[in-house]
Amino acid sequence: MKVLSSLILAASINAIGIGSASAAVVFSDDFESYSAAIPSASSFGGWNVTGGTVDIIGDTPYDFFPSYGKYIDLDGSNSSPGLLSTNAIFAAGTYVIKFDLAGSQRGDSNLVTVNFGGQSWQYTLASTDAFQQFSQTVSFASATNTALSFQNGGGDNIGALLDNVSVALVPEPSTYGMMFGGLIMVAGLVARKSRNV
């Protein structure tokens, strides 16, 4: 019985801790594979740019964080910040989105709006803010036009900086239930076998 209790406890701890570890990354970009472009094209890689421009910088004269490689200036070069959005449409589910934002490093503050799955968040960044990671968990029932987007609120060609974007799908709770049930069955079989020995 002691063995069974220990196995059930271990299975419970494992099932509880499995959530974030088992999230599967379905989209990610660190912008390293693109040529620097000021302004960027209206689409590149997995992204579309509408309503203005963004700049791909980092190995240009505008390299404020050399250790970060390339990144995006969200207020491009035509006094109209573009809406940067994924061209991927995400299925219904629960997702963890992560991204790095930094201030412009050029003397102004910026407001960045992030939209995903019908929800939006706003981040205000002072000019001197270094890159920091932000994270949100989002659940939505429909995949209709669900893209991840970023937009700077300025219009002075000096925007907040974006890097290391990822979207990970979190398994549904029913998956955990099936896993937990399977672990309990294994624990039961081990306990039965130890009694028969």
Side-chain angles (χ1 to χ4, degrees):
M1 193 63 176
K2 220 176 215 185
V3 171
L4 178 61
S5 299
S6 297
L7 287 171
I8 290 174
L9 177 62
S12 302
I13 291 168
N14 190 29
I16 291 167
I18 222 156
S20 60
S22 62
V25 174
V26 294
F27 178 90
S28 68
D29 204 338
D30 61 5
F31 306 107
E32 293 304 311
S33 63
Y34 313 119
S35 299
I38 303 175
S40 69
S42 60
S43 66
F44 57 92
W47 300 95
N48 296 314
V49 183
T50 55
T53 60
V54 301
D55 296 339
I56 303 171
I57 61 174
D59 61 356
T60 67
Y62 304 103
D63 191 359
F64 307 107
F65 297 97
S67 64
Y68 267 76
K70 294 182 186 135
Y71 40 89
I72 301 294
D73 175 349
L74 288 168
D75 191 351
S77 300
N78 69 352
S79 297
S80 181
L83 176 68
L84 178 68
S85 59
T86 60
N87 57 29
I89 300 298
F90 297 93
T94 299
Y95 294 87
V96 176
I97 58 170
K98 295 181 181 180
F99 49 91
D100 295 352
L101 288 174
S104 71
Q105 310 303 303
R106 290 163 280 178
D108 67 341
S109 63
N110 286 276
L111 178 70
V112 176
T113 301
V114 180
N115 288 289
F116 186 61
Q119 297 184 43
S120 67
W121 305 272
Q122 292 190 321
Y123 303 91
T124 302
L125 297 137
S127 174
T128 57
D129 286 347
F131 272 112
Q132 57 186 311
Q133 185 179 78
F134 295 91
S135 178
Q136 296 288 348
T137 300
V138 184
S139 294
F140 53 92
S142 170
T144 307
N145 295 324
T146 300
L148 171 63
S149 69
F150 298 86
Q151 186 156 39
N152 200 87
D156 57 3
N157 301 338
I158 300 174
L161 308 175
L162 171 71
D163 202 2
N164 300 323
V165 178
S166 71
V167 180
L169 179 63
V170 178
E172 292 299 314
S174 60
T175 306
Y176 301 138
M178 287 190 302
M179 258 174 38
F180 186 64
L183 290 170
I184 288 176
M185 278 180 32
V186 169
L189 290 172
V190 169
R192 185 181 304 160
K193 187 175 179 181
S194 68
R195 274 184 274 162
N196 293 334
V197 173

